[in-house]
Amino acid sequence: MSNMAVLEGVLERITYANEENGYTVARVDTGRGAGDLLTVVGALLGAQVGESLRMEGRWGSHAQYGKQFTVENYTTVLPATIQGIRRYLGSGLIKGIGPVMADRITTHFGVDTLDIIEQEPKRLVEVPGLGPKRTKMIAAAWEEQKAIKEVMVFLQGVGVSTSIAVRIYKKYEDASISVVKNQPYRLAADVWGIGFLTADRIAQAVGIPHDSPERVKAGLQYALSQSSDQGHCYLPEERLIADGVKLLQVDTGLVIECLAELAADPEGVVREKVPSPEGGEPVTAVYLVPFHRAELSLAGQVRRLLRTEEDRMPAFQDVDWGKALAWLATRTGASLAPEQEQAVRLALTRKVAVLTGGPGCGKSFTVRSIVELARAKKAKVVLAAPTGRAAKRLSELTGAEASTVHRLLELKPGGDAAYDRDRPLDADLVVVDEASMLDLLLANKLVKAVAPGAHLLLVGDVDQLPSVGAGEVLSDLLAEGGPVPAVRLTRIFRQAQQSGVVTNAHRINAGQPPLTEGLSDFFLFVEDETEDAGRLAVDVAARRIPAKFGLDARRDVQVLAPMHRGPAGAGHLNGLLQQAITPGRPDLPEKRFGGRVFRVGDKVTQIRNNYDKGENGVFNGTVGVVTGLDADEQKLTVRTDEDEEIGYDFDELDELAHAYAMTIHRSQGSEYPAVVIPVTTSAWMMLQRNLLYTAVTRAKKLVVLVGSRKAIGQAVRTVSAGRRCTALDFRLRGGSGEDFS
């Protein structure tokens, strides 16, 4: 080890950081003057610009970049020179101090600055422009920084990145080190961004044995929560045991024992016999408790609504339909087709109903007709949709206010709703659009809040991808033999037949390749190489569509990719699109976070449910634009699609991702004037009919496919094989686990 060297310097800038493994490329100032910066590479994730570092490692040389230092480990040291202190304080490390204030403070106190902040922070009021309030804030931020540093040093020893260390500290504060040492598996459940694998690595580092029952139980719960991220409400017991053995690398016997212990714990898991999703013999389903409760509750609530004698819209039980529909035609200027008429009657006479159908089949007109008639009889109508964009569209369509489901229910921090069974919504008719996006947990909260006797109408396209969250509620409600009445609109209206987008959506859904010649709103650019297809998709979205159709590249055009990874995946394309649409400029503030750079003007999306932000929470899939970035306050502001201003502290930026490109799964429920879809053979495993259909149906005016005919053919031919593991349709028919015992 004799060739280990020590290097001290101030971290000037980070040029590359990989969040997943911590590998960082940075430039440091070693104080040799002449503005010489040295390149250092290695595991530096966690070091902040402006910090003085003491790095241990080895000297080497890079063919392209010349001499560089590879860091094996590092510690931060407080800077000792005025210049170092100014740089350190001005780096945005301490809330309330930006570059200008750092300059003032160091000019006033010189090399004693850090000692003053540490020991006599009240003296900061001597600095021009610093009042008692700001002084207090700086002192508190310094203390928190010190406490976090202590936790950081400990966590760095067990291989945890800074952003996660900050989050652990925010969750447990002074108890952080104790929790990490003694109950590391709690982290996976309590702290967003820490999965079982990170918790397991920490547990190993603090000496928890490989075959500890605590580890096995945490691993099984992790396997179930991973499967819920894939859309499953439960896993068959045999599959869970096999997944557990593979994940944990322990004996099958130990996994079976620990699963039995979890099943005996009321807060652990629930085991119950249900029909197999594939047909055939019943399976023993293993649920996480919240999903089991929600499935039972949702089925029970739907059946209760259907059975109740009360009716909050009694006028429609003996209405003269001929007269009512004639009146309606004079109001809307068009008469209903027979299947639309059937849907209108159903929604107004039955307590729960489902309306489904593809684009151009008149779902929207049917909904508008239902709302018009209900209002004519003075009914209180409440309209909602899962996303802000879909709610806006519903509002424009009906001329009445519509909100997101979360806002309608007034979800509170922690996720409880203000409206539920004990305090139902004051509504006679509740209409929910884009219902294919409703996952099990949200659908349960919604149906609980519908008053007995009120009518619930769910509207959506069942051929689209199911919800991002667990369950496939719409398709379970439509299952054969179930109690919920439904109408499927199939006839494409004449004006919709002129649209290449609508025609091709129906062709794809029927297993036929889309027509790509001679249409004014549907194009294919053939590009067989994945990397070239990615670059071309960016050029089409950022330059060609705006030039030819006069659309705004940021607001009106959306790139939708089958996958996140790869050269034509949403992750890589976001970087290219950001360079094209919101490039860096000297006068444009920006914040680097991990491997990403955020700028004012960036299009971003929230990637987790956060019930503590905004008025009623901010949810996975919410899209917005960055409108402000304040280095002093370490805050970034996003204006969401719902016109709400949401603040993010810099250490919360891993809740945001860029949204110039997104995966097709994340685009559900949204509509865009123009959609660009890279379809390449590198996404082979993902190419399925409902995926391509969902992408095409997101477009209002224009679709451009970029990629290979072979990949498009694969997507059109491939019908999604496996159903999600859910037993909602069985429970809706009145089934329970006892039926199989």
Side-chain angles (χ1 to χ4, degrees), residues 73-124:
N73 54 62
Y74 77 92
T75 50
T76 56
V77 287
L78 289 176
T81 66
I82 290 185
Q83 182 196 354
I85 292 168
R86 182 185 298 126
R87 186 85 183 81
Y88 178 68
L89 286 180
S91 66
L93 200 65
I94 306 297
K95 232 179 192 171
I97 305 182
V100 175
M101 195 47 75
D103 197 32
R104 277 192 214 162
I105 297 172
T106 45
T107 301
H108 190 80
F109 293 117
V111 288
D112 299 330
T113 297
L114 297 182
D115 290 338
I116 300 279
I117 296 177
E118 167 85 27
Q119 283 147 18
E120 304 176 78
K122 287 191 170 127
R123 281 191 59 195
L124 286 169

Side-chain angles (χ1 to χ4, degrees), residues 152 307 480:
M152 296 278 189
R307 279 201 309 260
E480 249 177 86

Side-chain angles (χ1 to χ4, degrees), residues 514 516 522-542 544-545 557-562 567-569 573 577 664 675-683 687 692 695-696 702-713 715:
T516 53
F522 201 104
F523 300 89
L524 166 64
F525 287 93
V526 175
E527 190 58 81
D528 287 334
E529 290 301 318
T530 300
E531 283 191 29
D532 294 340
R535 279 196 292 271
L536 180 55
V538 169
D539 189 45
V540 167
R544 297 192 195 189
I545 289 177
V557 185
Q558 184 63 51
V559 176
L560 297 179
L573 296 184
L577 285 158
I664 296 166
V675 165
V676 179
I677 311 164
V679 189
T680 64
T681 49
S682 68
L687 296 176
L692 185 56
V696 168
L702 176 68
V703 171
V704 181
L705 302 178
V706 181
S708 74
R709 293 186 194 279
K710 186 179 175 188
I712 293 166

Side-chain angles (χ1 to χ4, degrees), residues 374-394:
R375 283 223 202 96
K377 293 289 185 189
K378 304 284 184 283
K380 281 185 184 155
V381 181
V382 165
L383 305 166
T387 65
R389 280 189 176 220
K392 263 186 187 164
R393 199 177 66 237
L394 184 59

Side-chain angles (χ1 to χ4, degrees), residues 192-499:
W192 182 74
I194 297 188
F196 172 79
L197 301 177
T198 306
D200 200 32
R201 204 172 65 229
I202 295 170
Q204 206 177 343
V206 299
I208 287 178
H210 189 70
D211 59 357
S212 125
E214 188 195 351
R215 174 175 184 265
V216 177
K217 286 187 212 170
L220 286 169
Q221 287 181 303
Y222 168 74
L224 282 174
S225 95
Q226 281 292 94
S227 76
S228 75
D229 289 345
Q230 254 91 64
H232 300 299
C233 299
Y234 69 81
L235 277 183
E237 187 174 42
E238 286 171 16
R239 188 163 142 197
L240 176 61
I241 292 167
D243 286 358
V245 169
K246 192 171 159 191
L247 170 74
L248 298 158
Q249 301 289 302
V250 294
D251 289 349
T252 308
L254 179 59
V255 171
I256 291 171
E257 267 171 51
C258 289
L259 181 55
E261 282 179 36
L262 273 176
D265 173 356
E267 293 304 311
V269 298
V270 178
R271 282 199 288 201
E272 190 182 351
K273 275 238 181 339
V274 300
S276 162
E278 312 302 328
E281 286 297 299
V283 295
T284 299
V286 185
Y287 286 85
L288 288 171
V289 173
F291 293 102
H292 185 256
R293 278 192 193 136
E295 206 173 77
L296 281 177
S297 160
L298 176 57
Q301 299 285 354
V302 167
R303 291 170 65 199
R304 193 175 301 115
L305 286 175
L306 282 165
R307 279 201 309 260
T308 180
E309 290 297 309
E310 285 175 66
D311 192 348
R312 291 182 59 150
M313 293 203 295
F316 290 103
Q317 295 307 331
D318 48 14
V319 75
D320 178 337
W321 283 105
K323 213 165 155 186
L325 295 169
W327 173 86
L328 183 67
T330 61
R331 290 277 296 174
T332 59
S335 44
L336 295 164
E339 52 188 19
Q340 291 179 309
E341 198 178 300
Q342 189 195 346
V344 169
R345 287 183 180 214
L346 210 54
L348 297 172
T349 57
R350 302 292 291 274
K351 307 293 168 42
V352 184
V354 175
L355 171 62
T356 187
C361 291
K363 279 200 309 287
S364 299
F365 185 67
T366 309
V367 170
R368 192 181 140 199
S369 303
I370 290 164
V371 172
E372 286 276 357
L373 280 170
R375 283 223 202 96
K377 293 289 185 189
K378 304 284 184 283
K380 281 185 184 155
V381 181
V382 165
L383 305 166
T387 65
R389 280 189 176 220
K392 263 186 187 164
R393 199 177 66 237
L394 184 59
S395 185
E396 285 159 13
L397 166 78
T398 55
E401 198 183 326
S403 69
T404 60
V405 176
H406 306 101
R407 209 167 271 239
L408 173 69
L409 300 177
E410 290 179 20
L411 291 193
K412 299 191 289 253
D416 287 332
Y419 292 96
D420 55 21
R421 210 174 149 187
D422 299 327
R423 186 194 171 200
L425 294 162
D426 180 18
D428 306 320
L429 171 63
V430 179
V431 180
V432 183
D433 199 6
E434 293 290 356
S436 61
M437 291 184 70
L438 287 177
D439 61 38
L440 175 66
L441 299 180
L442 185 59
N444 178 42
K445 286 189 169 97
L446 170 73
V447 176
K448 253 192 215 168
V450 178
H455 293 227
L456 171 66
L457 173 65
L458 298 173
V459 184
D461 184 345
V462 75
D463 293 320
Q464 282 180 35
L465 290 166
S467 56
V468 175
E472 34 189 356
V473 174
L474 190 65
S475 111
D476 282 341
L477 288 168
L478 284 162
E480 249 177 86
V484 179
V487 171
R488 185 176 192 133
L489 303 178
T490 53
R491 189 185 129 197
I492 306 171
F493 284 88
R494 197 175 61 244
Q495 63 272 33
Q497 289 170 3
Q498 320 300 310
S499 154

Side-chain angles (χ1 to χ4, degrees), residues 384-397 402-404 433-434 437 552-558 560 603-604 621-625 639-643 659 662 666-675 698-700:
T387 65
R389 280 189 176 220
K392 263 186 187 164
R393 199 177 66 237
L394 184 59
S395 185
E396 285 159 13
L397 166 78
S403 69
T404 60
D433 199 6
E434 293 290 356
M437 291 184 70
D552 181 289
R554 186 183 288 113
R555 192 186 57 235
D556 302 329
V557 185
Q558 184 63 51
L560 297 179
K603 186 174 178 179
V604 291
T622 300
V623 175
V625 172
R639 189 166 195 84
T640 71
D641 266 354
E642 291 178 65
D643 293 331
M662 62 172 75
R666 294 192 68 82
S667 72
Q668 286 164 261
S670 290
E671 260 196 346
Y672 315 92
V675 165
R698 300 306 86 219
K700 279 195 278 199

